[in-house]
Amino acid sequence: DESKEITIGPSESMSKSKRNTIDPERIIENYGADSVRLFILSDSPPEKDVQWSDDGIIASYKFIQKLWKLHLKILDKIKLDHKRDDDNNIDKITNVFLKNVCDNLVNFSYNKIIANLHETYNQLFSEVNKEYTSQTLIKNYQKILIVMIPIIPHLANECLEKISDKTSITWPDIDESLLIKDNINYVVQINGKKRGIIQAKTDLSETELFEQLKNSLNIKKYIKDKQIKKKIFVPNKLINIIV
């Protein structure tokens, strides 16, 4: 985007006349093109100028190294080829990532996509310690790498070469059923005042949620031996108990 400026300080923009420009070839040579792309995308929304930061480009470079270490870890786990999957949590992580990236691409929220990538990296690094079949790992990791191509194409394509036939690559579909959370946090109010949060299954009825509340030590003290006059229930959000 020719309208975007890269600045090297709080208010000073780079320009040839000021002799304060940064040589892009030198930056790419030192940190790699993917690090530069990652830094520019994570720095700010598209409508704002890019603020150059040595710390920022170094942080992006280090994150690329972390992604590579994750790649090597996943390759090792694929070789183990466990007989079954512990659960389907890795499918959920993958589909949430796909959904978030697609939404943020449509909204031109590129900096949020980088935040999505950081979050997914943290989740995957621990998740792959579980037992998954090689098929499950490859299926999900391939989808994640394909979605990473617009962000860091060199790393993503190199990783894809190790696990799949690139001629068959297409943009992955989102499995909406895997976006539904099994458990959510319900806000619990007593006479309109927040008294706690309780985690329970999605789509519980008022009666089911109230039965669970009666066994919660944090909430039970507010309603014990008191007459309940009314309950205000908002599905999957809150319950307000009037005593």
Side-chain angles (χ1 to χ4, degrees), residues 32 57 69 76 112 213:
I57 187 66
K69 289 180 181 178
D76 288 340
K112 292 182 180 179
L213 283 177

Side-chain angles (χ1 to χ4, degrees), residues 20-241:
N20 65 353
T21 57
I22 296 173
D23 183 0
E25 291 187 5
R26 179 177 62 82
I27 298 300
I28 292 173
E29 181 180 344
N30 290 338
Y31 298 104
D34 279 350
S35 298
V36 177
R37 290 174 64 91
L38 190 68
F39 167 73
I40 293 174
L41 291 172
S42 63
D43 177 72
S44 60
E47 67 272 11
K48 293 186 179 180
D49 294 339
V50 176
Q51 302 292 321
W52 180 260
S53 162
D54 289 339
D55 290 340
I57 187 66
I58 291 171
S60 294
Y61 175 77
K62 288 182 177 179
F63 184 58
I64 295 291
Q65 306 310 308
K66 287 183 176 181
L67 289 173
W68 179 249
K69 289 180 181 178
L70 173 62
H71 169 71
L72 297 178
K73 183 177 182 178
I74 292 175
L75 289 183
D76 288 340
K77 297 296 182 179
I78 289 173
K79 292 175 183 177
L80 293 176
D81 194 16
H82 293 293
K83 300 302 180 184
R84 63 176 186 83
D85 297 332
D86 275 352
D87 53 41
N88 69 338
N89 199 43
I90 195 168
D91 297 299
K92 294 179 181 179
I93 291 171
T94 299
N95 276 271
V96 169
F97 178 64
L98 299 184
K99 173 67 172 173
N100 288 337
V101 170
C102 289
D103 288 347
N104 286 323
L105 278 173
V106 171
N107 296 325
F108 301 102
S109 301
Y110 303 130
N111 55 325
K112 292 182 180 179
I113 293 175
I114 308 306
N116 299 148
L117 182 57
H118 277 268
E119 181 182 11
T120 302
Y121 161 81
N122 291 329
Q123 293 172 331
L124 279 180
F125 200 86
S126 60
E127 188 64 29
V128 294
N129 290 325
K130 295 182 180 179
E131 291 189 3
Y132 285 108
T133 65
S134 58
Q135 182 181 2
T136 296
L137 287 173
I138 291 172
K139 176 190 69 175
N140 285 282
Y141 188 40
Q142 179 176 319
K143 290 178 181 179
I144 290 171
L145 288 173
I146 292 172
V147 173
M148 285 167 54
I149 288 175
I151 311 167
I152 43 177
H154 299 87
L155 177 67
N157 278 290
E158 183 171 351
C159 293
L160 274 169
E161 287 179 355
K162 303 294 184 182
I163 66 166
S164 67
D165 176 10
K166 290 180 63 178
T167 59
S168 62
I169 289 175
T170 57
W171 192 263
D173 294 324
I174 300 170
D175 186 343
E176 298 285 346
S177 67
L178 292 171
L179 301 178
I180 301 173
K181 295 182 179 180
D182 295 329
N183 294 288
I184 59 174
N185 292 326
Y186 290 83
V187 175
V188 182
Q189 298 177 337
I190 308 295
N191 294 333
K193 292 184 179 181
K194 181 179 175 181
R195 296 300 186 183
I197 293 177
I198 186 169
Q199 189 175 81
K201 290 183 178 180
T202 305
D203 296 327
L204 279 183
S205 67
E206 178 184 311
T207 302
E208 291 171 324
L209 180 60
F210 184 69
E211 286 300 315
Q212 189 167 331
L213 283 177
K214 290 193 296 185
N215 297 319
S216 171
L217 294 176
N218 292 333
I219 304 301
K220 187 162 59 175
K221 61 184 178 182
Y222 294 107
I223 60 177
K224 185 179 180 181
D225 300 326
K226 293 186 179 180
Q227 181 184 359
I228 297 175
K229 300 177 181 178
K230 184 180 181 181
K231 294 192 292 289
I232 301 171
F233 176 64
V234 181
N236 294 326
K237 289 188 177 181
L238 66 83
I239 185 169
N240 182 17
I241 302 170

